[in-house]
Amino acid sequence: MLSRTFLALAAAIPVFGFAGPAMAEGHEHTEADRALMILTSDSLHTQGMAMILSSAMQQQGTDLHILLCDGAGELAVEGYASPEAIATPPANPAGEVVPEALLGRLMGNGAKVDVCAIFLPNTAHDAGDLKAGVGVASPGPIAEMMRDPAIPVYSF
């Protein structure tokens, strides 16, 4: 089921559409458009919505940095599989998706993904368990992003 879901997602992500214009009216994209998305929830729906909104932001030209902490850190672990898929709205051809597949798509499109600095020392995982391309955040650079008024911070 999961591989069929992933294939459906891969085929449908371009039409995942995130309806509406590529840019919000009145918003001009600049190369400096960046955002920090902090995801801590282990809720399947919250994780899915955070990934869907991140995808829409990325499609609109935002350079994303995603920080996965607490239960959401599991999304960064190689081989992690959500307990079930999330159904998309009836008009959406993707059908069902899983947050970890959406995260992989975001990474493939250039999003930087890190786990919180305290994720590994407080779980049974080590750095070798993380998916390729996932780093371990240092508090200093994340704090700089959080303090930068030009970088919006979203948390789920």
Side-chain angles (χ1 to χ4, degrees), residues 129-149:
D129 295 329
L130 298 177
K131 293 177 182 178
V134 174
V136 178
S138 295
I142 296 296
E144 285 178 30
M145 289 179 68
M146 293 174 75
R147 294 181 61 237
D148 187 335

Side-chain angles (χ1 to χ4, degrees), residues 4-57:
R4 190 177 83 222
T5 300
F6 181 75
L7 290 174
L9 170 65
I13 215 64
V15 262
F16 208 92
F18 307 105
M23 300 292 160
E25 191 171 320
H27 177 80
E28 292 184 28
H29 171 70
T30 67
E31 291 306 312
D33 280 348
R34 298 171 59 197
L36 173 61
M37 182 74 67
I38 302 173
L39 178 57
T40 60
S41 178
D42 62 357
S43 163
L44 185 62
H45 290 176
T46 302
Q47 290 176 354
M49 198 65 227
M51 295 299 109
I52 288 168
L53 291 172
S54 293
S55 294
M57 290 173 65

Side-chain angles (χ1 to χ4, degrees), residues 10 17 23 45 58 68 75 84 88 94 101 113 136 138 141 148 152 156:
M23 300 292 160
H45 290 176
Q58 192 177 58
L68 302 171
L75 293 172
E84 60 186 277
T88 59
V113 177
V136 178
S138 295
D148 187 335
F156 289 85

